[in-house]
Amino acid sequence: MNSAKIIDRTFSIAPMLDWTDRHYRYFARIMSKQALLYTEMVTTGAILHGKGDYLAYNEEEHPLALQLGGSNSVELAKCAKIASDRGYDEINLNVGCPSDRVQNGRFGACLMAEPELVAECVDAMKQVVDIPVTVKTRIGIDDFDSYEFLTQFIDIVQAKGCTDFTIHARKAWLNGLSPKENREIPPLDYERVYLLKKDYPHLHLSLNGGINSIEQMKSHLEHVDGVMVGREAYNNPFILSQVDSQLCGIDASVMTRAEVIEQMMPYIERHLKQGGRLNHITRHIIGLFQGLPGSRNWRRYLSENAHKQGAGIEVIKTAFSKVEL
């Protein structure tokens, strides 16, 4: 088993399907050494029966958590053990994703209605690994959105030894809203997560949802233990360069965007040598110059050229030359 390491949970990047793959995570790690990185959600079925290697990652990504989707405790335990043996630093159970596909598989946000099953799954995983087993959830689902419903869920799951929860401060509508709408339409209720921390001071609680600036992160950290950021960390990734110094108390000089690109180059060259395509990586770095003059030129040049057959690092160099720094 992989022995547990102490993980700084002050700041983490949310698991995002199709976004937080290993290329994005490598890119994020260049800008923040402290951020806890999460994989995209991987289902137990994909790990146990899939053809590909869904657990591949770069050693530089640590600390790294695997987010699992599933509700069969035996299968989750098997996957947790495999991931621990592969060197992952944490296993996270998805109790927050609201998509129809997830509900049909009986995992994600619908599991909030089955706290005993979630507790059983957490317990099964904890029995076979030494690394932390954590849960990411919502504040409620459908009409089950009272504070009592949330605390009952927390009570039952923590009784099986889960001490770390990430709470997306929106409830999920399981019927009628798309996953995208579920990230935007149900109102945010940060106060409920703050209250949860007051009532459960012994638990490590991270807050997720609608956070898009370092100032907001600092404000939330006055009330909770950690913040998890999703879309802002992806669409405006250079915000990560401030995380270590501004949030984690690390005396780190902020990198320039040019230095970030320079550090990505060897990784990109390796990827290309192994037969990978340039746009597998450039799609993740396209937001690096967000808000700066010339960012549109950077985005446009990468979008128009990185997908072409044989595209190499000269595409990135040319795109960078079009940015006005």
Side-chain angles (χ1 to χ4, degrees):
M1 282 191 254
N2 187 24
S3 60
K5 301 169 189 167
I6 295 174
I7 300 171
D8 184 344
R9 303 175 182 282
T10 308
F11 177 90
S12 58
I13 299 178
M16 292 176 283
L17 214 51
D18 298 324
W19 287 10
T20 51
D21 67 11
R22 60 196 177 94
H23 302 313
Y24 169 76
R25 298 191 306 258
Y26 186 94
F27 173 53
R29 179 60 72 216
I30 286 174
M31 291 174 281
S32 171
K33 304 303 179 201
Q34 295 297 114
L36 174 58
L37 304 180
Y38 282 77
T39 66
E40 307 164 82
M41 182 190 70
V42 186
T43 65
T44 53
I47 295 170
L48 298 175
H49 311 296
K51 297 280 191 283
D53 181 2
Y54 292 91
L55 299 181
Y57 66 90
N58 308 286
E59 281 301 320
E60 294 85 351
E61 292 173 40
H62 292 295
L64 177 63
L66 169 68
Q67 189 184 58
L68 284 174
S71 59
N72 180 305
S73 60
V74 174
E75 292 178 352
L76 284 164
K78 280 183 187 170
C79 292
K81 180 73 169 72
I82 292 168
S84 175
D85 290 345
R86 289 285 293 271
Y88 277 85
D89 301 302
E90 173 186 313
I91 307 296
N92 178 264
L93 182 63
N94 183 323
V95 190
C97 181
S99 81
D100 294 340
R101 193 158 52 96
V102 165
Q103 290 177 60
N104 294 337
R106 198 172 171 222
F107 53 89
C110 62
L111 286 177
M112 276 202 89
E114 300 185 72
E116 289 86 1
L117 177 58
V118 174
E120 179 190 320
C121 291
V122 165
D123 186 44
M125 290 188 280
K126 284 182 69 67
Q127 296 295 330
V128 296
V129 300
D130 292 333
I131 57 177
V133 175
T134 66
V135 167
K136 182 172 189 286
T137 189
R138 296 265 182 152
I139 57 172
I141 47 170
D142 297 336
D143 293 322
F144 299 101
D145 60 357
S146 67
Y147 185 65
E148 290 69 29
F149 175 77
L150 177 59
T151 55
Q152 182 188 26
F153 175 85
I154 297 290
D155 285 339
I156 292 170
V157 178
Q158 72 154 349
K160 290 297 185 181
C162 183
T163 59
D164 191 298
F165 294 82
T166 298
I167 314 288
H168 187 156
R170 286 185 174 94
K171 74 173 180 178
W173 282 106
L174 300 182
N175 296 300
L177 292 185
S178 70
K180 181 177 186 295
E181 289 168 330
N182 259 304
R183 289 193 297 269
E184 296 165 355
I185 291 176
L188 285 158
D189 189 350
Y190 295 137
E191 295 296 330
R192 186 171 300 192
V193 186
Y194 296 168
L195 179 58
L196 200 65
K197 178 59 193 175
K198 276 186 185 165
D199 289 343
Y200 296 85
H202 58 290
L203 296 179
H204 188 286
L205 296 182
S206 295
L207 183 146
N208 172 230
I211 304 170
N212 54 29
S213 72
I214 292 289
E215 289 67 35
Q216 286 178 13
M217 296 174 211
K218 286 180 175 176
S219 175
H220 290 310
L221 286 170
E222 292 176 10
H223 305 277
V224 293
D225 304 298
V227 288
M228 174 181 275
V229 179
R231 282 168 289 171
E232 188 67 17
Y234 191 88
N235 295 326
N236 182 24
F238 197 62
I239 197 171
L240 301 175
S241 66
Q242 301 177 63
V243 163
D244 294 1
S245 59
Q246 294 289 312
L247 303 182
C248 301
I250 304 297
D251 186 16
S253 57
V254 175
M255 303 177 77
T256 66
R257 289 171 173 86
E259 287 169 338
V260 174
I261 293 173
E262 191 180 327
Q263 287 202 26
M264 275 300 289
M265 285 303 197
Y267 179 81
I268 295 169
E269 287 180 314
R270 281 200 305 276
H271 173 71
L272 295 173
K273 272 185 189 154
Q274 290 162 0
R277 295 178 68 94
L278 184 65
N279 63 326
H280 292 164
I281 295 176
T282 54
R283 72 188 187 95
H284 299 305
I285 69 175
I286 211 159
L288 183 60
F289 295 94
Q290 180 87 351
L292 290 187
S295 63
R296 188 175 297 170
N297 298 337
W298 161 264
R299 287 198 308 270
R300 181 185 296 140
Y301 193 84
L302 288 182
S303 299
E304 291 175 355
N305 296 282
H307 67 280
K308 292 178 179 173
Q309 192 69 35
I313 58 169
E314 71 284 344
V315 171
I316 295 176
K317 291 175 179 174
T318 304
F320 181 56
S321 72
K322 296 179 179 295
V323 181
E324 301 155 32
L325 291 178

